[in-house]
Amino acid sequence: MWRTCIIALLTSCGNVKNATYFNQNTVQITSNSYENLEPILQKNDLLSITVSSINPEAAEMFNLSNSFSAQSSTTAGNTTRVSGYLVDQDGAIRFPVLGKIDAAGKTKKALREEITSILISRQLLIEPIVDIRYLNYKISILGEVKNPSVINIPNEKISLLEALGLAGDITIYGRRDNISLIREQNGIKKVTRIDLTTNEIFNSPYYYLKSNDIIYVEPNSAKIASSSEAKSWIPVILSGVSLAIIAIVSL
């Protein structure tokens, strides 16, 4: 009996460790450039581009209704229509007056500087100011979290921990030591495994998420076992219901 108690105690300790974050005693966060990395524009990105200058009337023609509109869902389940410049399958946007401009593969800063340079070189505006923002900067969180959802990120910057917080955190049945992060780079989807029971995430290039990242939290063995056990009882329950129905009909 005492052996059983010891095994149960050790097992419970192991389960508590797997259900908590950052089990190491100290955290050493090194200064790196990951936080400052600007996302690279990709096909199907939806951008808001506004142009202003010291002559608002002259800049007005560059702020015509954007060329693409789409529906966007919020975490509350509401749906709104957003308008912007879609990076098409050729990797380009169509901008008023300036025409086709290659965008895919560039940062927002590079695209902003290119548009500004064209406006100045063609003498279309004096001291133009170009602002570019994502309209579909979003991440998806699936699996064993309280609220699986697609989350729009208005400030274009979010960490993995913040994203999990917005999804209501990982449930007690979710594995914190083997989270999958799916990220598309150059048209290729790559799956990275992340262990949140250690402190390594703080120095990881995956600490900050990128647009269209997908996070999947897989169930732990307890959830899988409970599901299997429940399924094994289904035939017994159905048989019991059938016998009850037969008994009622026979009365």
Side-chain angles (χ1 to χ4, degrees), residues 144 171 173-174 219-229:
E144 283 297 329
T171 71
Y173 296 110
N220 58 24
S221 55
K223 179 62 176 291
I224 295 173
S226 63
S227 298
S228 300
E229 185 176 338

Side-chain angles (χ1 to χ4, degrees), residues 228-245:
S228 300
E229 185 176 338
K231 289 181 180 179
S232 67
W233 280 95
I234 290 177
V236 177
I237 294 172
L238 292 177
S239 298
V241 172
S242 298
L243 291 174
I245 293 174

Side-chain angles (χ1 to χ4, degrees), residues 14 47 66 116 147 151 158 203 216:
L47 307 174
N66 288 331
T116 301
N147 301 308
I151 302 174
I158 188 171
N203 293 316
Y216 173 68

Side-chain angles (χ1 to χ4, degrees), residues 52-231:
S52 59
S53 76
I54 59 175
N55 186 346
E57 291 77 14
E60 187 175 353
M61 71 174 68
F62 301 101
N63 294 301
L64 301 174
S65 298
N66 288 331
S67 57
F68 182 86
S69 62
Q71 290 188 341
S72 174
S73 298
T74 65
T75 54
N78 300 321
T79 301
T80 59
R81 294 196 67 83
V82 294
S83 297
Y85 295 94
L86 180 70
V87 181
D88 63 21
Q89 294 305 306
D90 295 328
I93 60 172
R94 269 69 180 179
F95 200 72
V97 182
L98 306 186
K100 181 179 178 181
I101 300 176
D102 291 329
K106 300 175 182 176
T107 63
K108 288 194 307 176
K109 179 181 178 181
L111 181 60
R112 180 172 63 247
E113 291 176 347
E114 181 177 347
I115 294 175
T116 301
S117 177
I118 295 173
L119 292 171
I120 294 174
S121 64
R122 294 187 186 180
Q123 299 182 347
L124 296 171
L125 287 177
I126 300 174
E127 299 181 11
I129 298 174
V130 179
D131 180 67
I132 302 177
R133 295 184 61 84
Y134 282 97
L135 289 175
N136 62 342
Y137 197 106
K138 65 183 185 300
I139 57 166
S140 302
I141 305 180
L142 310 172
E144 283 297 329
V145 293
K146 184 177 180 181
N147 301 308
S149 55
V150 178
I151 302 174
N152 292 310
I153 314 300
N155 62 356
E156 302 176 8
K157 180 181 177 182
I158 188 171
S159 70
L160 173 59
L161 301 179
E162 290 173 319
L164 290 173
L166 290 174
D169 202 5
I170 300 174
T171 71
I172 194 64
Y173 296 110
R175 288 191 59 180
R176 288 157 174 78
D177 62 340
N178 195 31
I179 293 174
S180 298
L181 191 153
I182 305 169
R183 176 173 294 173
E184 183 173 339
Q185 295 177 318
N186 300 320
I188 300 174
K189 290 182 175 62
K190 178 182 177 182
V191 179
T192 301
R193 304 290 182 177
I194 297 173
D195 185 355
L196 289 183
T197 63
T198 72
N199 300 330
E200 296 177 0
I201 184 62
F202 294 108
N203 293 316
S204 169
Y206 301 100
Y207 180 75
Y208 285 100
L209 302 177
K210 295 184 177 181
S211 182
N212 298 314
D213 278 355
I214 299 173
I215 302 166
Y216 173 68
V217 181
E218 65 180 72
N220 58 24
S221 55
K223 179 62 176 291
I224 295 173
S226 63
S227 298
S228 300
E229 185 176 338
K231 289 181 180 179

